[in-house]
């Protein structure tokens, strides 16, 4: 228990985001037949997403960057987004191939970061990766609310999210290909 006491605020927010994932999933599935739980799923997802921006801001502005945070923050983000998208495949709201592309990108980027880390290189997020993340959050929110009048917008956002995923991957690989050299 002392481990959690010793965590700084950004790391506590990261842990909170991870703990909110199963809550979100339960609310999302129950929300398919219950409007209140759909709203709760939306609320939990938005809170979890906000902790991502907040923990990063606090960590950078107060110089509270830790190895724990460097490792767990991106993991928490991937867990939240990938869990949501996998649930939407189960529900039938998004094609599996889209989610496979997104998850494959995350594995590839994580592999690059691991190799870079072994070489003492830190690879920062770039504008394409940030745009991809924003598009994912917007798309997931649209999928949660599932308003028939927004089906076309949701479909467009699924395409935008997928394209940004591929573009960010290509750009990431092109910029960091030297990491793979021995």
């Amino acid at each position: 228990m002392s481990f959690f006491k010793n965590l700084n605020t950004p790391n506590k927010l990261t842990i909170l985001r991870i703990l909110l994932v199963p809550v979100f999933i339960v609310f999302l599935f129950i929300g398919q037949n219950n409007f209140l739980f759909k709203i709760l799923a939306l609320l939990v997802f938005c809170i979890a997403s906000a902790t991502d921006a907040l923990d990063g801001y606090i960590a950078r502005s107060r110089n509270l960057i830790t190895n724990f945070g460097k490792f767990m923050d991106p993991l928490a983000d991937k867990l939240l987004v990938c869990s949501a998208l996998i649930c939407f495949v189960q529900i039938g709201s998004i094609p599996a191939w889209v989610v496979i592309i997104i998850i494959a990108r995350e594995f590839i980027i994580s592999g690059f970061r691991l190799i870079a880390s072994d070489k003492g290189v830190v690879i920062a997020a770039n504008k394409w990766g940030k745009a991809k993340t924003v598009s994912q959050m917007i798309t997931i929110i649209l999928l949660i609310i599932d308003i028939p009048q927004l089906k076309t917008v949701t479909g467009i956002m699924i395409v935008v999210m997928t394209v940004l995923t591929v573009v960010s991957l290509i750009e990431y690989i092109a910029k960091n290909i030297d990491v793979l050299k021995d």
Side-chain angles (χ1 to χ4, degrees):
M1 201 52 133
S2 65
F3 169 77
F4 291 106
K5 277 186 187 177
N6 294 330
L7 290 176
N8 63 29
T9 300
N11 291 342
K12 287 177 182 175
L13 289 169
T14 297
I15 295 291
L16 174 63
R17 187 161 61 257
I18 291 168
L19 295 174
L20 287 174
V21 171
V23 175
F24 164 71
I25 291 169
V26 168
F27 288 168
L28 181 66
F29 280 118
I30 295 172
Q32 296 309 297
N33 300 312
N34 184 306
F35 183 73
L36 174 62
F37 280 93
K38 182 179 283 198
I39 297 302
L40 288 172
L42 178 63
L43 184 62
V44 169
F45 182 79
C46 289
I47 290 168
S49 297
T51 66
D52 181 26
L54 186 59
D55 69 15
Y57 171 77
I58 293 170
R60 286 185 297 279
S61 68
R62 297 183 185 168
N63 198 26
L64 296 174
I65 297 169
T66 64
N67 286 333
F68 178 86
K70 286 180 196 176
F71 175 73
M72 291 303 292
D73 182 63
L75 186 63
D77 300 343
K78 288 171 183 45
L79 187 60
L80 177 64
V81 169
C82 292
S83 295
L85 293 173
I86 290 167
C87 288
F88 288 120
V89 170
Q90 173 72 27
I91 292 167
S93 302
I94 191 168
W97 65 267
V98 168
V99 178
I100 291 168
I101 289 171
I102 291 166
I103 292 173
R105 181 229 184 247
E106 298 308 332
F107 275 111
I108 293 166
I109 299 301
S110 293
F112 261 82
R113 284 198 170 125
L114 185 62
I115 293 167
S117 173
D118 283 348
K119 295 181 177 188
V121 176
V122 175
I123 301 174
N126 61 42
K127 66 180 178 182
W128 290 107
K130 291 178 184 190
K132 177 228 19 130
T133 300
V134 169
S135 72
Q136 287 175 339
M137 299 304 174
I138 292 169
T139 303
I140 290 168
I141 289 168
L142 288 168
L143 288 166
I144 293 168
I145 60 176
D146 190 31
I147 297 173
Q149 294 84 352
L150 294 177
K151 286 286 188 204
T152 301
V153 173
T154 303
I156 290 168
M157 283 308 301
I158 290 170
V159 171
V160 168
M161 173 183 71
T162 307
V163 168
L164 286 173
T165 296
V166 173
V167 168
S168 69
L169 174 63
I170 292 168
E171 198 268 347
Y172 192 93
I173 291 171
K175 261 189 158 175
N176 299 291
I177 196 71
D178 290 342
V179 167
L180 297 179
K181 294 179 182 173
D182 286 330

